[in-house]
Amino acid sequence: MSKELNSHLIIILATFLVGGSFVISQKLSGIIDPISITLLRFVIASLVLVPIIFLNQNYRKKLIPTFNRAMIISFFYSLFFIGLFKALEYTTALNTGTIFTLVPFITAVFSIFIFNQKISLMSYLVYFIGIIGTSMVVFRGNLELFISLSLNNGDIIFLLAIFSMALYSICMKYFHKEDDELIVLLLP
């Protein structure tokens, strides 16, 4: 399998997992405490990754030097999921899915201030088209459904959560070093 095809398959899988997580999360919200379910997600991930890391000497050597940076990255990722679960107690998966389309734009805006990154007018246009296109898919092209969208307290909570997701992306770029092993960086 070519590297390009493999990359596309990984993106499709990630899209499926992220998209499905809104619906599944809505079913679990209000039943399980947001912190408990987020902790469970990390425990399961750790149980899967720990054997892989401990069986590889190179990964084991990178564990201690990577740990502090990985904890900071995981903090923002955890806040996102806690916010998602809490928000879904008050709002719908449709609302959170729609609001989630703002993550790339918010990440780009944060990058301006943190990395002094310049964003061209064309990039802003691409973000805008992406938000519109994704919203069309989320609302199934139904303008009435889009117009009937009303924001509530859960949506405000989720807006704060997507700020955490944007900061997670920023931290991944800021704290990731060239010699890091991604599997070790993602463990905590």
Side-chain angles (χ1 to χ4, degrees), residues 65-98:
T66 305
F67 190 76
N68 289 340
R69 293 179 288 119
M71 288 300 289
I72 294 169
I73 293 167
S74 296
F75 172 75
F76 290 108
Y77 197 61
S78 298
L79 278 181
F80 167 75
F81 280 106
I82 291 168
L84 169 65
F85 287 118
K86 195 65 180 167
L88 285 169
E89 291 178 15
Y90 307 102
T91 191
T92 66
L94 181 66
N95 283 26
T96 56
T98 304

Side-chain angles (χ1 to χ4, degrees), residues 18 76-77 79-81 100 103-104 106-107 110 158-172:
V18 169
F76 290 108
Y77 197 61
L79 278 181
F80 167 75
F81 280 106
F100 190 74
V103 170
I106 292 170
T107 304
F110 283 177
F158 192 65
L159 275 170
L160 295 173
I162 65 168
F163 285 138
S164 289
M165 181 53 91
L167 288 170
Y168 161 76
S169 299
I170 297 286
C171 286
M172 280 295 289

Side-chain angles (χ1 to χ4, degrees), residues 62 69 172-182 185:
K62 304 260 179 164
R69 293 179 288 119
M172 280 295 289
K173 181 175 181 178
Y174 188 79
F175 289 114
H176 181 265
K177 293 185 179 176
E178 225 174 275
D179 65 334
D180 279 343
E181 295 291 346
L182 192 56
L185 191 63

Side-chain angles (χ1 to χ4, degrees), residues 4-70:
E4 186 175 306
L5 178 60
N6 190 33
S7 298
H8 288 291
L9 291 175
I10 290 171
I11 292 295
I12 290 170
L13 176 64
T15 302
F16 174 75
L17 292 173
V18 169
S21 72
F22 288 105
V23 176
I24 293 167
S25 298
Q26 184 172 19
K27 292 186 183 306
L28 294 174
S29 68
I31 297 171
I32 301 173
D33 180 67
I35 294 172
S36 297
I37 190 120
T38 302
L39 178 62
L40 179 64
R41 289 173 63 112
F42 277 89
V43 167
I44 291 170
S46 295
L47 290 174
V48 170
L49 294 177
V50 162
I52 297 168
I53 290 170
F54 282 116
L55 291 174
N56 184 308
Q57 182 180 0
N58 188 39
Y59 293 163
R60 282 193 314 264
K61 286 192 293 188
K62 304 260 179 164
L63 194 57
I64 300 295
T66 305
F67 190 76
N68 289 340
R69 293 179 288 119

